[in-house]
Amino acid sequence: MRNTAKITTAVLAAGALTLGLSACGSDKDAASDTSGPLVVAASPTPHAEILDYVKENLAKDAGLDLEVKEFTDYVTPNTATEDGSVGANYFQTQPYLDDFNKKNGTHIVSVVDVHLEPLGLYSHKVKKADDLKSGATVAVPNDTVNEGRALQLLAANKIITLKGGVGTAATPADITGNPKKLEFKELEAAQTPRSLDDVDAAVVNGNYAIEADLKPAQDALVLESAKDNPNSNLLAVKEGQEDDPRVKKLAKLLNSPEAKKFIEDKYAGAVLPSF
């Protein structure tokens, strides 16, 4: 049985404020009380599923008391980690984390890489990327790093061209060649799979593709390559918490042969171990 606290987007703002206040007013919060459970903020799929596997199959023997909190956005897990409401998070890539810290003045650091979710281009209207018509609308995530990844994916597959050196900071303004005259619709990442009936195609993060019953290895028109990919999803904590014995135990379990087999068996190429 899953023992997971689910937190929906509708209550995130109020919940984060309440948690922040309680953390500031307590001598022992989720991050500093190493005698209590390690509370980890995670996206529902696949992050919380992987954590639930660890909790139900590996944590007890390792002496780890693990609690998983699910979040449906890409902001609150970091703010909750920063204010001590949770002890760690597992939902993001290193480029996203670096950008978040820079923009928000947070102090979140990576502990260990766990898996890669290949970003893909999907469509309900065409079977191949070449079939996109002139003027087609393509939805892309609107956060800095994931939008950059989306545009780099399109560029790698010769659908567009980009200015040299823009990397994951790329925006539609950096497009130098657009032979199909594609129009880009910038949406919150979680909304991209839901837009597929309204746009001609959408670039969707791997976790949201899985939640939408898309099979990246089969359904994507084009898919990120796993080779030399810097976008592994990682376990992260607030700076200074890296040596928490609970965090060290979880890092070891997430990189265990058992976790690797679970990821490979459950996700069949839609999620790839990074270790």
Side-chain angles (χ1 to χ4, degrees):
M1 178 181 296
R2 294 176 61 180
N3 184 18
T4 302
K6 295 190 177 181
I7 300 179
T8 62
T9 304
V11 299
L12 286 174
L17 177 59
T18 302
L19 290 170
L21 291 172
S22 65
C24 293
S26 172
D27 292 333
K28 286 190 175 183
D29 57 30
S32 63
D33 181 10
T34 59
S35 65
L38 177 62
V39 183
V40 183
S43 297
T45 305
H47 309 77
E49 294 174 348
I50 295 170
L51 288 169
D52 282 340
Y53 169 79
V54 169
K55 176 183 175 70
E56 294 165 7
N57 296 277
L58 307 176
K60 184 177 179 180
D61 287 345
L64 175 63
D65 187 0
L66 182 62
E67 181 180 339
V68 184
K69 287 191 174 182
E70 293 184 10
F71 290 80
T72 58
D73 76 320
Y74 283 170
V75 175
T76 315
N78 274 338
T79 58
T81 303
E82 178 75 11
D83 70 23
S85 303
V86 300
N89 68 55
Y90 173 35
F91 77 100
Q92 65 192 321
T93 66
Q94 188 68 54
Y96 179 86
L97 173 57
D98 292 342
D99 182 70
F100 190 95
N101 279 333
K102 182 178 179 180
K103 289 182 175 178
N104 295 280
T106 46
H107 309 85
I108 314 300
V109 296
S110 170
V111 177
V112 68
D113 288 343
V114 183
H115 75 266
L116 173 72
E117 302 164 17
L119 203 72
L121 177 69
Y122 300 86
S123 177
H124 286 171
K125 299 178 181 178
V126 299
K127 298 294 185 183
K128 297 184 297 183
D130 288 345
D131 294 338
L132 288 169
K133 296 180 180 178
S134 179
T137 300
V138 178
V140 294
N142 66 2
D143 62 274
T144 302
V145 170
N146 284 305
E147 181 171 56
R149 279 179 72 187
L151 296 175
Q152 292 289 353
L153 171 67
L154 299 180
N157 287 276
K158 305 186 186 322
I159 298 169
I160 60 171
T161 55
L162 292 169
K163 292 179 185 176
V166 290
T168 54
T171 72
D174 296 310
I175 295 173
T176 56
N178 186 3
K180 288 183 177 289
K181 298 181 174 58
L182 301 176
E183 297 183 7
F184 293 94
K185 186 173 184 178
E186 297 167 302
L187 300 174
E188 197 272 325
Q191 300 297 321
T192 54
R194 302 170 197 169
S195 73
L196 282 169
D197 288 332
D198 303 314
V199 298
D200 296 291
V203 180
V204 183
N205 291 69
N207 60 316
Y208 292 130
I210 296 166
E211 289 178 16
D213 293 325
L214 295 168
K215 296 179 175 59
Q218 300 174 24
D219 298 334
L221 306 184
V222 296
L223 193 66
E224 270 186 325
S225 170
K227 184 179 180 181
D228 299 323
N229 196 310
N231 294 295
S232 290
N233 283 237
L234 51 88
L235 178 69
V237 297
K238 186 175 182 179
E239 188 175 7
Q241 301 297 323
E242 303 95 312
D243 292 330
D244 182 329
R246 302 169 303 170
V247 172
K248 288 186 172 182
K249 288 177 182 178
L250 179 57
K252 185 176 181 180
L253 295 177
L254 285 170
N255 274 190
S256 67
E258 295 88 348
K260 183 176 183 178
K261 186 176 188 303
F262 171 78
I263 292 170
E264 291 173 339
D265 290 349
K266 182 172 179 63
Y267 300 109
V271 178
L272 305 171
S274 297
F275 55 93

